[in-house]
Amino acid sequence: MKLHLLDRASAKHSSFTVSMNQSPYFLKVWHHHPELELVVIRKSTGTRFIGDSIEKFEEGEVVLIGRNLPHMWLNDECYFEKNSTLVAEAVVIYFSENFLGDGFLRAPEMRSIANLFERARRGIKFIGLPPKLIDDLENLNGLHGFDKTMGFVNVLNKLSKHSRYRFLSSAGFVDSFKEAENENLDRIYAYIFKNFNTPIRSRDVADVANMNASAFSRFFKRIHQKTFTRYLNEIRIGYACKLLMENKNTVTSVCFESGFNNISNFNRQFKSIVGMSPSDYIKLYA
């Protein structure tokens, strides 16, 4: 899964872009761009990849993705069936941090919005947003000029002060992208996301990065503040949670589909990372 840089720049006559995306399924590309991305999922279900987060997404969720944070929205398999009549629909806003000028975020009145943009570096999923705020966000597509800009600033202000949210990607993943352009990191992440549910070892990833095993181990731990094995297990357990929430698989099948080769290790890692057993997790989301 190669990481692609996409052009999401706004047109010359606008400081940001609001669009209603409607298609049989979302763009199936692991990508990033320098613009922030604010998304409202109106119709569709599937798996959301943001940084090193893998979770199920569903209708109604609102997510803010920071600049250059890799992401992909992968619809469920039913959306790709030959005779599918399903529709993937989302309101998406692309904008740069300085869309109202270089001094915009330095103004005291914009401090909370500046903080929102900083938090968005890890990807934010908002929880329990007022329906009126979501309506205001969706209605931006029908506004023009000054009203559209002020409406968007008002939405950002309210989002910045909404206290219920959670981060999606780990700080370690984001910090690695702050370093100088590093093709090794791109190759490492692409390989992990493509193969996380297969029997991969740190030496396999080291080969992809053109490093020896010891050097890779030190490099990875410095970037993520955790071992490669722990990181891989967190990715696999995140995917397992998605499968368990879909309630389509038994715990045993989820174990193997997530890349673990025995149920006892799967149960142990699941409890270590999630804080409960897979069976208790199922009860929580049933």
Side-chain angles (χ1 to χ4, degrees), residues 15-286:
S15 57
F16 60 97
T17 300
V18 183
S19 62
M20 173 71 77
N21 294 346
Q22 190 176 62
S23 59
Y25 45 82
F26 293 136
L27 182 65
K28 190 180 177 182
V29 174
W30 174 238
H31 68 281
H32 68 111
H33 40 74
E35 295 78 21
L36 287 83
E37 180 175 335
L38 181 59
V39 182
V40 181
I41 302 295
R42 289 172 54 87
K43 296 179 182 179
S44 187
T45 58
T47 303
R48 172 180 13 86
F49 296 76
I50 296 183
D52 55 358
S53 166
I54 303 178
E55 296 181 348
K56 181 180 176 61
F57 74 84
E58 54 192 16
E59 298 176 2
E61 77 171 32
V62 180
V63 170
L64 178 61
I65 304 169
R67 63 189 309 272
N68 287 322
L69 179 59
H71 57 283
M72 177 175 69
W73 309 82
L74 180 62
N75 286 109
D76 290 326
E77 292 180 5
C78 54
Y79 283 80
F80 299 96
E81 294 176 356
K82 186 176 180 180
N83 298 317
S84 173
T85 59
L86 296 170
V87 175
E89 184 177 296
V91 174
V92 185
I93 303 176
Y94 298 106
F95 61 101
S96 63
E97 291 186 350
N98 62 344
F99 74 100
L100 287 182
D102 292 334
F104 169 59
L105 294 180
R106 292 197 295 270
E109 295 82 359
M110 299 298 126
R111 190 170 299 152
S112 63
I113 293 179
N115 177 265
L116 174 69
F117 292 174
E118 179 64 22
R119 285 181 280 144
R121 291 175 53 249
R122 291 177 58 185
I124 296 173
K125 178 181 178 181
F126 296 97
I127 301 169
L129 286 176
K132 175 64 165 56
L133 178 53
I134 297 177
D135 288 343
D136 289 345
L137 199 162
E138 294 180 345
N139 291 337
L140 289 173
N141 197 39
L143 300 177
H144 303 280
F146 180 83
D147 291 337
K148 185 176 183 179
T149 300
M150 290 300 98
F152 183 41
V153 172
N154 186 49
V155 165
L156 290 175
N157 182 53
K158 290 180 179 177
L159 289 175
S160 73
K161 296 175 179 177
H162 186 76
S163 60
R164 296 184 62 202
Y165 66 90
R166 63 181 179 83
F167 291 116
L168 297 175
S169 187
S170 71
F173 183 95
V174 173
D175 289 342
S176 70
F177 272 83
K178 288 169 57 181
E179 299 194 351
E181 292 294 326
N182 192 324
E183 293 184 4
N184 276 348
L185 287 171
D186 285 350
R187 288 196 295 268
I188 288 169
Y189 293 132
Y191 185 84
I192 292 172
F193 277 102
K194 184 178 181 180
N195 299 283
F196 72 89
N197 57 350
T198 66
I200 62 174
R201 301 161 299 178
S202 62
R203 75 182 69 169
D204 299 323
V205 187
D207 288 342
V208 171
N210 297 317
M211 303 171 73
N212 65 52
S214 297
F216 170 75
S217 178
R218 292 192 298 271
F219 170 77
F220 197 91
K221 191 167 185 179
R222 176 176 63 83
I223 293 294
H224 290 279
Q225 302 300 307
K226 66 184 70 173
T227 65
F228 169 76
T229 299
R230 174 70 181 190
Y231 177 91
L232 179 60
N233 282 336
E234 289 178 356
I235 294 292
R236 287 172 167 171
I237 293 300
Y239 184 67
C241 289
K242 177 255 184 188
L243 295 178
L244 292 173
M245 281 192 290
E246 290 179 341
N247 199 26
K248 298 177 181 177
N249 310 73
T250 65
V251 171
T252 300
S253 65
V254 166
C255 162
F256 293 105
E257 192 171 340
S258 302
F260 292 93
N261 54 19
N262 70 76
I263 191 69
S264 60
N265 183 42
F266 171 70
N267 286 333
R268 183 167 58 252
Q269 296 299 333
F270 196 100
K271 189 164 186 178
S272 171
I273 293 167
V274 181
M276 65 184 75
S277 69
S279 57
D280 287 338
Y281 187 86
I282 292 172
K283 293 175 185 176
L284 185 64
Y285 286 96

